[in-house]
Amino acid sequence: MNMVEICDVYKEYGQPPSALLVLKGINLIVPTGSVTVLLGPSGSGKSTLLRCVNELETITGGEIWVNGELLGYRKDAQGNLQRLSEKQIANQRSHIGMVFQRFNLFPHLTASQNIMLAPTLVTKTAKPIAQQQALELLDQVGLSERANYYPAQLSGGQQQRVAIARALAMQPKLMLFDEPTSALDPELVGEVLQVMQNLAKEGMTMMIVTHEIGFAKRVADQIVFMDGGVVVEQGSPSIIDNPQEKRFQAFLSHL
């Protein structure tokens, strides 16, 4: 089964005649256990697409399926789409982990408490169990000694690794990364990319928006170049060294 199937997806902001069309008929398949890297200039629609997959944005047209389930809607006997309730949508979203540019950690909670929060609130996991899981996840991202540190006591790279552990705490089927290293100092980027590379080796299905071309070539199974709200070129990582479309060639020449 494919983990993600994006079918003719449109996303529009505002109302005609001044509406802004950000996604213009995106079609994309992400096989289970694979890594898809989205490349493209600012404003190309990459982050919007991720937000649609996580239902942080409601699509204007088309369908998105994750793990065989239609996001945001159900089809009645006649095949008509009916919007799910907010509670049902929140339940779908709980199976999708997302890591943002900014770490968004709660400053008044320690690293382990940040990770424990969602399992204890959403899935009602007992606190001792959630705490043990948090410690295991911190060990997984190389921060077992920082469990009781507050975000202000952690470097940017460490905070982002805690954010990854927090997303993993809900045992997601799919992980989304929206430029997870763009807010980091250059010397801290590697430690975050290493955690993501380890996740890829473990078979986690991931969609990643990044400008880290070397990382994309090492880790991706599929490269997707977007510009102007459409997929311009896609294929294996080898297309980075041999881009066919002029827009992709121009983009790579500026990196």
Side-chain angles (χ1 to χ4, degrees):
M1 181 185 294
N2 294 318
M3 180 59 70
V4 182
E5 296 185 12
I6 299 170
C7 310
D8 200 27
V9 163
Y10 287 78
K11 175 59 184 176
E12 188 175 77
Y13 291 101
Q15 300 296 324
S18 58
L20 176 64
L21 191 58
V22 179
L23 299 178
K24 306 171 184 177
I26 300 293
N27 290 284
L28 181 63
I29 288 176
V30 179
T32 300
S34 71
V35 177
T36 292
V37 169
L38 304 176
L39 301 176
S42 298
S44 60
K46 313 179 301 296
S47 295
T48 299
L49 183 60
L50 281 197
R51 291 176 65 84
C52 289
V53 173
N54 201 32
E55 299 188 85
L56 295 175
E57 300 283 357
T58 302
I59 60 176
T60 308
E63 297 178 353
I64 299 178
W65 296 76
V66 173
N67 201 36
E69 186 175 6
L70 178 63
L71 293 188
Y73 299 90
R74 66 178 179 86
K75 290 186 177 181
D76 61 21
Q78 289 73 43
N80 299 314
L81 292 178
Q82 296 184 343
R83 186 71 175 163
L84 298 178
S85 69
E86 288 303 314
K87 184 176 181 180
Q88 290 170 316
I89 290 172
N91 180 63
Q92 289 185 330
R93 191 183 292 125
S94 70
H95 301 293
I96 303 170
M98 189 158 183
V99 178
F100 301 87
Q101 296 178 31
R102 297 291 172 178
F103 327 122
N104 298 329
L105 299 177
F106 291 104
H108 64 289
L109 299 179
T110 64
S112 61
Q113 288 170 337
N114 266 281
I115 297 168
M116 292 169 57
L117 192 61
T120 53
L121 291 180
V122 179
T123 58
K124 307 303 180 185
T125 303
K127 282 192 175 181
I129 295 175
Q131 186 173 29
Q132 180 59 37
Q133 291 173 341
L135 294 175
E136 291 172 358
L137 286 167
L138 284 170
D139 184 57
Q140 184 176 338
V141 299
L143 291 173
S144 57
E145 297 178 355
R146 298 290 190 270
N148 296 318
Y149 282 53
Y150 290 91
Q153 298 173 301
L154 301 172
S155 70
Q158 290 171 337
Q159 289 185 60
Q160 192 63 296
R161 284 188 279 160
V162 172
I164 294 172
R166 180 179 59 181
L168 292 171
M170 290 296 289
Q171 300 178 342
K173 298 178 174 65
L174 169 68
M175 284 285 287
L176 309 175
F177 294 86
D178 187 8
E179 299 196 36
T181 60
S182 64
L184 299 177
D185 292 332
E187 67 269 19
L188 302 177
V189 168
E191 63 191 59
V192 174
L193 295 181
Q194 184 60 56
V195 170
M196 295 167 64
Q197 191 165 340
N198 291 342
L199 287 176
K201 290 178 182 177
E202 294 165 7
M204 173 63 74
T205 310
M206 298 192 284
M207 295 179 69
I208 303 169
V209 172
T210 184
H211 291 294
E212 299 290 340
I213 296 298
F215 170 77
K217 290 169 68 174
R218 289 196 308 275
V219 176
D221 298 292
Q222 177 179 218
I223 299 290
V224 177
F225 174 69
M226 292 179 62
D227 193 16
V230 300
V231 174
V232 175
E233 187 170 348
Q234 69 184 97
S236 70
S238 63
I239 67 171
I240 292 174
D241 294 322
N242 188 29
Q244 301 301 303
E245 298 291 332
K246 288 186 177 180
R247 278 192 283 176
F248 194 17
Q249 293 170 3
F251 171 78
L252 291 170
S253 71
H254 288 99
L255 294 179

